[in-house]
Amino acid sequence: MAYRVPSRAYSFSSSSQRSDDSSTTQKSMQSMVTCVYRAHIAGFWRNVTILWTKNVMNYSLSISVESVEPGHQDYTCKIELKPWHFWAKKGYKAFEVDGNQMEAYWDLRSAKFSGGPEPCKDFYVALISEEETVLLLGDSKKKAHKRTKARPALVEAILYYKKEHVFGKKSFSTRAKFDQNKREHEIVVESSTTGPREPEMWISIDGIVLIHIRNLQWKFRGNQTVLVNKQPVQVFWDVYSWLFCAPGSSHGLFIFKPAPPETDSDGDDNTLSNDSDCSGQSLYHSTRSYSKASDSCLFLYAWKIE
């Protein structure tokens, strides 16, 4: 049974403002995973954005490093992983960010995928600055260190948040970590929104249904806190578009955020706005600030297609 606690300072609202990645996804119908890391590079904490995409033809990887100098654009390195270009799956690129030399190494020749655009095993992507591995992704870490000959980072990069766009008719799945030092968890969202029965939704983690929403037409927005291996995880959802918009015109939004246990219950439950826009992106706002030591947050954009 799911563990539920009262929550205090959250409110939901919707807006007609559409994000670039959301509109791009809608047009191209391609799966996308965006991971934003905080890495210590050349004396500054910078955002490093890793974008994995998948369409009918190929996979692609994009690496963006934040500039801290006013007026400078972030540097972006894009890698096309076409199936007939075997050589592109292993490579190296050198570039400068704010006058600092950086190198990107990758080896995706044996990478395994579990249906999405992000590989799950047998690969590495390494970002090097000043002979230090400031960001290392994948499970082939020994191969990466041997190839780059760079020392491990004194301070490891931290996953700040992850955004994923998935497509399906009734079921949507992804994987995420709720603790940087623990294993990934499998998340599955299932729904029944057609037919004679009242619409329902199920959210399961590692095969266990933790949230079951009946009468979804009245509870299309909400939140609940569940326990995953004794760790509280806040789950927010907004599936208005699944019920009241044309299929494929917009997405359902799910947010999974680790949270400390609540010690008090003052205040009312979350306030849900009644405004909705089928063509726009729903935005969640919280007055509770993120802790510097907070674990990463997952944003799941679920596009229902018929």
Side-chain angles (χ1 to χ4, degrees):
M1 179 178 294
Y3 170 77
R4 182 167 184 165
V5 296
S7 51
R8 296 180 295 168
Y10 290 93
S11 65
F12 290 11
S13 65
S14 60
S15 168
S16 59
Q17 182 181 1
R18 183 184 306 176
S19 68
D20 292 339
D21 62 340
S22 179
S23 59
T24 301
T25 302
Q26 181 180 359
K27 292 178 182 179
S28 61
M29 300 296 284
Q30 65 179 1
S31 299
M32 300 172 58
V33 176
T34 304
C35 297
V36 177
Y37 296 86
R38 295 288 287 170
H40 196 259
I41 301 173
F44 294 93
W45 284 101
R46 305 169 190 254
N47 287 343
V48 178
T49 303
I50 306 294
L51 173 62
W52 302 93
T53 58
K54 173 191 175 186
N55 55 31
V56 178
M57 296 298 295
N58 63 289
Y59 293 83
S60 67
L61 165 63
S62 176
I63 304 172
S64 298
V65 181
E66 179 186 25
S67 170
V68 296
E69 294 187 3
H72 285 218
Q73 293 184 342
D74 298 349
Y75 177 86
T76 299
C77 168
K78 188 171 183 179
I79 304 159
E80 295 288 346
L81 306 174
K82 296 181 180 180
W84 54 86
H85 287 168
F86 182 80
W87 57 267
K89 296 182 180 180
K90 180 180 180 181
Y92 157 86
K93 280 190 177 181
F95 55 94
E96 282 192 4
V97 176
D98 297 339
N100 301 289
Q101 181 76 14
M102 299 193 67
E103 299 92 30
Y105 295 82
W106 64 90
D107 188 349
L108 299 150
R109 294 174 298 174
S110 302
K112 304 296 189 301
F113 296 83
S114 59
E118 184 183 20
C120 57
K121 62 183 298 186
D122 298 335
F123 78 101
Y124 68 78
V125 176
L127 196 61
I128 311 300
S129 174
E130 298 177 337
E131 299 183 351
E132 181 179 74
T133 307
V134 294
L135 178 64
L136 180 56
L137 308 178
D139 57 348
S140 301
K141 300 185 186 297
K142 290 184 179 180
K143 292 182 179 179
H145 288 305
K146 182 178 180 181
R147 183 181 176 202
T148 63
K149 297 180 174 58
R151 66 182 182 276
L154 294 176
V155 182
E156 291 189 2
I158 300 173
L159 178 61
Y160 192 40
Y161 66 85
K162 176 181 178 179
K163 296 192 300 182
E164 182 167 1
H165 291 261
V166 294
F167 297 84
K169 294 182 178 180
K170 296 182 178 181
S171 181
F172 309 88
S173 62
T174 185
R175 301 183 67 86
K177 283 186 177 183
F178 300 128
D179 188 314
Q180 301 277 358
N181 300 318
K182 295 183 179 179
R183 67 178 180 87
E184 282 189 326
H185 298 277
E186 182 181 7
I187 300 172
V188 178
V189 177
E190 296 177 287
S191 65
S192 176
T193 56
T194 58
R197 300 183 60 180
E198 296 290 335
E200 295 180 85
M201 180 177 70
W202 301 263
I203 300 176
S204 63
I205 298 178
D206 295 334
I208 301 174
V209 176
L210 298 180
I211 297 177
H212 181 196
I213 305 299
R214 297 181 175 88
N215 299 316
L216 192 60
Q217 73 274 26
W218 304 112
K219 303 174 183 178
F220 50 82
R221 292 193 186 100
N223 72 91
Q224 189 167 323
T225 299
V226 300
L227 284 180
V228 180
N229 291 343
K230 300 182 180 180
Q231 178 183 11
V233 176
Q234 295 173 322
V235 182
F236 304 84
W237 65 87
D238 181 349
V239 294
Y240 177 92
S241 63
W242 286 5
L243 300 163
F244 305 110
C245 300
S249 63
S250 189
H251 52 72
L253 174 60
F254 298 84
I255 301 177
F256 298 83
K257 180 183 182 300
E262 292 281 359
T263 57
D264 53 67
S265 58
D266 59 314
D268 297 326
D269 287 346
N270 295 356
T271 302
L272 307 183
S273 75
N274 294 322
D275 301 327
S276 295
D277 183 355
C278 294
S279 62
Q281 179 185 359
S282 297
L283 300 179
Y284 288 63
H285 301 281
S286 169
T287 57
R288 180 177 298 172
S289 61
Y290 282 88
S291 168
K292 292 183 179 180
S294 175
D295 289 295
S296 62
C297 187
L298 168 66
F299 297 84
L300 180 64
Y301 298 83
W303 297 79
K304 186 178 278 288
I305 56 178
E306 297 296 336

